[in-house]
Amino acid sequence: MGHRTSTGRRVCVRVPAKVNLELTVGPPREDGYHNLATVFHAVGLYDEVCVEESDRWSVEVSGPYADGVPRGGSNLAVKAARLMGGTAEIATPMRIAIDKQIPVQGGMAGGSADAAAALLACDALWELGMGRQELERYAARLGSDVPFLLSGGTAIGSGRGENLAPVLANGTYQWVFALSPVGLSTPAVYAECDRLRGDAVVPEPTPAEELMAALRSGEADALGAALTNDLQEAAFSLRPELREVYALGIHAGALGGIVSGSGPTIAFLCADAEGALDLAVALAASGEVPEIKRALGPTHGAHVVPAAVASI
Ligand code: C5P
């Protein structure tokens, strides 16, 4: 790697969170992963990741969930920046700043989102001009959800989630998220899913036709009825109180509810903005849900923020 002059620039990328509208989990694979049939859906809660060259590696984290974010080499944004640097033969250390608005270990791909953001930010910083497909290949090396966070919208994921295909989806949906103060480990939830299944024969996963039809129709009540997640019972098994939160939201008028990814966040779908506000108030009034967020979906994937409006 040769000597180069620092770009002296700072690039910031905004990246959304996700929920899985369907998460059908196959049997465990030899490599420890599970084949999935999943439908990713990007929602409007955003992290912002800024990168610039520096004289040493550093990670600064701000925002409400800053405490749960690793500052060292295990941080997925750092891994992404190192991967891109290695590819471009640029060994310069990076200063990475993360505004953490997506819950940590919440089942909303917060860590994966930061990896996607850092990939795109490095591509822009070093003017590598990587196409979407090339970026997705690097993204898949960093985590199963990372490629989706680059593209956003609503998409089918197969393999371990990294192979994306478009889905015909209409409508914009109102979501309310019941957050949990303590995260859940994704590997632990997959392991619990396997344990609960015991010796049962698990078929290879296929996308649910009911969900596809609901997405084509653009009707929120059809989508609410079609939400499915094979990890839901595993998350409830590890955290029985989540079952109560789920029941609370359904009784309070949500069109449907689902554990987001591997949890513990529970996502509720509402008919409209008024319904979402009412549901958020009902959940707050119950005293059972310490933190509630609202967001619209789908939204776009990771994108560079114009320098003048970058918030950190
Ligand atoms: O790919 P990622 O690093 O996000 O996955 C985290 C963990 O979740 C894996 O180590 C694995 O235990 C589990 N996982 C899985 N099957 C998938 C995706 C994730 O078993 N398709």
Side-chain angles (χ1 to χ4, degrees):
M1 301 194 191
H3 290 288
R4 13 180 329 278
T5 318
S6 162
T7 67
R9 286 197 306 133
R10 182 171 200 250
V11 174
C12 295
V13 168
R14 263 183 115 206
V15 62
K18 63 87 186 158
V19 295
N20 303 74
L21 306 177
E22 173 189 359
L23 185 44
T24 304
V25 178
R29 308 193 317 199
E30 299 259 307
D31 63 1
Y33 284 89
H34 299 70
N35 280 337
L36 305 178
T38 191
V39 176
F40 292 111
H41 182 73
V43 293
L45 296 178
Y46 300 95
D47 277 1
E48 192 169 294
V49 178
C50 298
V51 301
E52 62 193 306
E53 292 185 349
S54 179
D55 50 5
R56 64 184 178 87
W57 281 93
S58 66
V59 180
E60 290 163 21
V61 192
S62 58
Y65 307 111
D67 284 355
V69 179
R71 304 310 203 256
S74 65
N75 184 295
L76 274 176
V78 173
K79 286 189 180 174
R82 286 193 196 275
L83 182 62
M84 290 295 269
T87 305
E89 302 200 337
I90 296 169
T92 323
M94 309 291 291
R95 177 169 174 263
I96 300 178
I98 302 172
D99 180 21
K100 192 79 210 144
Q101 301 289 332
I102 305 174
V104 175
Q105 279 205 322
M108 302 188 78
S112 301
D114 297 348
L119 285 178
L120 193 63
C122 290
D123 177 64
L125 181 74
W126 294 321
E127 296 173 344
L128 303 177
M130 283 189 188
R132 181 49 44 103
Q133 280 190 346
E134 201 175 349
L135 280 171
E136 279 184 6
R137 270 202 303 279
Y138 289 111
R141 287 168 60 180
L142 295 162
S144 311
D145 296 338
V146 183
F148 172 70
L149 276 316
L150 285 171
S151 55
T154 304
I156 294 178
S158 60
R160 53 189 176 89
E162 82 283 26
N163 300 326
L164 298 175
V167 48
L168 189 59
N170 289 299
T172 300
Y173 300 98
Q174 293 274 348
W175 294 96
V176 174
F177 299 101
L179 308 190
S180 176
V182 184
L184 263 176
S185 143
T186 302
V189 176
Y190 274 97
E192 181 66 1
C193 176
D194 292 338
R195 191 190 70 78
L196 291 174
R197 286 171 164 178
D199 295 332
V201 177
V202 179
E204 279 302 318
T206 50
E209 189 40 49
E210 189 194 351
L211 176 63
M212 296 301 138
L215 285 169
R216 279 195 299 274
S217 78
E219 286 169 18
D221 49 357
L223 180 58
L227 301 171
T228 56
N229 182 355
D230 282 354
L231 295 180
Q232 183 150 308
E233 279 305 315
F236 287 168
S237 166
L238 294 174
R239 288 282 177 74
E241 70 275 16
L242 295 179
R243 202 186 287 280
E244 313 299 323
V245 174
Y246 176 83
L248 249 165
I250 299 299
H251 288 138
L255 298 176
I258 192 169
V259 166
S260 182
S262 57
T265 302
I266 300 184
F268 293 107
L269 183 62
C270 296
D272 50 26
E274 203 184 341
L277 188 57
D278 287 347
L279 182 70
V281 169
L283 290 174
S286 75
E288 305 282 325
V289 187
E291 202 180 352
I292 298 152
K293 298 253 184 214
R294 287 176 52 195
L296 292 178
T299 186
H300 38 56
H303 54 285
V304 174
V305 183
V309 296
S311 63
I312 49 175

